[in-house]
Each structure stands twice: as C-alpha cells, then as structure tokens.
Amino acid sequence: MRTTYIRTFMRALVFALTALLSLALPGAWAQSPLAPQSAEYKVFYGDIELGQARYILPPPDGNFYQYQFDSSLSLLVLSDMRHIRTEFTLEGTNLSPVRFMHQREGTGPNFNEQAAFLKAQGVVHSRYKDEKAKLPYEGELHDPMTVQLQLRLDLSAGKEHMLYRLVKDNEIDDYEFKLVAKEQLILASGSYDTVKLEVVRKNNKRQTFIWFAPSLAYLPVRLTHFEKGDKQLDIQLLSHQFSEMPPQLANSPAS
C-alpha cells in the first residue's frame, strides 16, 4: 500500500512539474529580445494622457524580420497618427536593416519617410518628405526601429555604453546611450526591476531616459523626455505579450 502511495505521489509530482515547465516556456523564450512579441504603451504630455502606442514583432520568415509601430495621439483639436515599419535580417549579433518606412498623418503637414539599405552596393537610398538622398553605407547602420532592438540585444550581452549610426531624415547621425542606474520602477502595469539608460548629448537642454526590464528581455517599460528641465513626454508600458513559439521554429511571415 505504501508503494502504491509513493507511485501515485510521484506521478502527481511529475504531472505538476510538467505543467509548471509548460507555463514557464514562454518566459524562457522571452529572454530573447527577438522573440515574437507585442507591447502597448500609454503616452503622456506632462500629466495629460495623449493616447496609446503599440509595437509588434511577429515571428520571422527564416532570417527575415519585420518590426512595426503604430500610434494614435490627440490633444484637444490636435492629432498625430503614425505607422512605422522596418524589415531587417540578423547577421551574427547585429541587426541589418533592409527597408524602413514611416508614415505620419494628422494636424499639420503629413509626410512619408523611406529608406532602402543596399549593403552589398554600399549605399542607402533615402527619401524624407519630398527630398531624396543617397547616403554611403559604411560600417554598421541602423534605422529608428532596428536601433531599439539592437540596444536590447547589446544590453542583454552586458554592454553599458553603446554608440550607433542611424539613418534618419536623409542624414546619418550618431546616437549614444549610457547606463546610469539600476532602479525599481512602479507603474500602473506593475513593478519592474530595471536598468536606466540616458541618451548622451552635448548639453543638458534636452534629456531622455529609458528604463529597460531585464526579466522581459530588456523590454523598455518607460521613457521620459525633458526640455530645459520640464517633462515633455512620458511613455509607460501598459501591457506586453511574448509568443509561446520560439523564433527559430516559427515560419509564418508578418501580416
């Protein structure tokens, strides 16, 4: 009878452990910043809520990735809606952009921005508003979307000081980030242990801070931007979801 009890107990224990591991799997895949995921944010101007923004990273098609951003913001009679998408590949530990698109609509002039990264030819064809540019493709380059994922990859690799060359507005500019602190952050969506980064600038007239959560594959949970000491922009994580399917097993292209 005791043997039967032990066997019954062991079967129950194995079942419980199996169930626990199956629940833990999504979190394990979530350790990769390139895991299929989505994240929604609330956007504030000072203390005034403007609307929401959403990032989506679908499963890749082989080594071809797409990363998408959508936002809809409004304040009284003012409005701003954006759709941004990048297509890129992974080369070793570096992301290599292929095509970038940015569409803006709302109050004021609408505009489109596009960039085609022809690495083999050593050139980037860029178009911002109604102006075109042909830029040299030298070294590692990023667009405004791939730099976010590259930053997360580098943080997960233990880097504390990062410098990127970014194609934006028909120009190539340097963007530098440094780790300034480790903080516990309490938001409406939860409590997070974070690493806090600052965008490095030549003066303090503008300051931008970003908090990343290591337990969420360094997903950014908050961003604040100050102009001359006054908070202008505050973006806070509202919800997030990581796919249960690991990227290397996924084969469905982004919709």
Side-chain angles (χ1 to χ4, degrees):
M1 183 174 178
R2 185 175 180 180
T3 302
T4 303
Y5 172 79
I6 293 175
R7 288 176 179 174
T8 302
F9 174 78
M10 291 302 296
R11 283 197 297 267
L13 180 60
V14 171
F15 176 81
L17 288 174
T18 302
L20 182 61
L21 287 173
S22 67
L23 290 173
L25 276 176
W29 295 124
Q31 296 306 309
S32 169
L34 294 182
Q37 61 193 267
S38 64
E40 295 190 6
Y41 295 84
K42 281 190 176 182
V43 182
F44 298 86
Y45 176 77
D47 295 326
I48 303 173
E49 183 176 342
L50 299 180
Q52 296 186 9
R54 186 182 188 190
Y55 286 92
I56 301 176
L57 180 63
D61 182 7
N63 190 37
F64 184 78
Y65 294 80
Q66 295 190 32
Y67 190 36
Q68 180 176 315
F69 170 85
D70 292 283
S71 67
S72 180
L73 310 178
S74 62
L75 177 63
L76 299 177
V77 297
L78 305 178
S79 65
D80 185 282
M81 293 169 288
R82 295 176 189 257
H83 174 72
I84 309 175
R85 188 177 71 184
T86 183
E87 300 171 357
F88 64 94
T89 59
L90 176 63
E91 299 181 2
T93 59
N94 294 315
L95 305 183
S96 182
V98 176
R99 185 162 57 233
F100 173 79
M101 293 150 282
H102 179 178
Q103 181 179 2
R104 187 268 178 192
E105 297 179 351
T107 306
N110 299 331
F111 71 82
N112 288 280
E113 180 178 4
Q114 300 180 10
F117 293 78
L118 307 179
K119 191 172 186 178
Q121 300 177 24
V123 66
V124 179
H125 292 287
S126 176
R127 179 168 185 166
Y128 176 61
K129 297 183 178 179
D130 294 326
E131 297 183 2
K132 296 181 180 180
K134 186 176 180 180
L135 308 172
Y137 197 139
E138 299 173 345
E140 298 296 333
L141 291 179
H142 286 283
D143 62 45
M145 293 286 281
T146 60
V147 72
Q148 300 175 31
L149 292 173
Q150 186 67 60
L151 182 57
R152 293 172 60 185
L153 287 170
D154 291 341
L155 284 172
S156 66
K159 294 185 180 181
E160 297 185 355
H161 194 197
M162 289 137 290
L163 177 65
Y164 306 103
R165 299 175 66 237
L166 186 68
V167 175
K168 186 176 183 295
D169 303 346
N170 283 351
E171 297 180 351
I172 299 177
D173 292 320
D174 290 337
Y175 280 74
E176 187 176 359
F177 302 83
K178 67 177 181 179
L179 179 65
V180 294
K182 294 183 178 180
E183 296 182 354
Q184 184 181 45
L185 206 60
I186 299 177
L187 303 175
S189 59
S191 176
Y192 307 94
D193 291 325
T194 70
V195 292
K196 179 181 179 182
L197 268 66
E198 181 179 5
V199 179
V200 178
R201 293 189 172 94
K202 295 181 180 179
N203 58 64
N204 292 327
K205 292 183 179 180
R206 295 186 300 153
Q207 287 184 297
T208 304
F209 299 98
I210 315 172
W211 289 261
F212 297 84
S215 63
L216 300 178
Y218 287 90
L219 184 73
V221 297
R222 188 176 190 180
L223 180 148
T224 59
H225 178 73
F226 295 83
E227 296 275 354
K228 298 181 180 179
D230 294 328
K231 184 188 294 185
Q232 299 293 313
L233 190 64
D234 191 356
I235 303 175
Q236 301 181 16
L237 180 66
L238 178 63
S239 64
H240 69 277
Q241 182 177 3
F242 286 91
S243 171
E244 297 184 12
M245 183 182 296
Q248 60 266 37
L249 298 181
N251 56 16
S252 58
S255 57

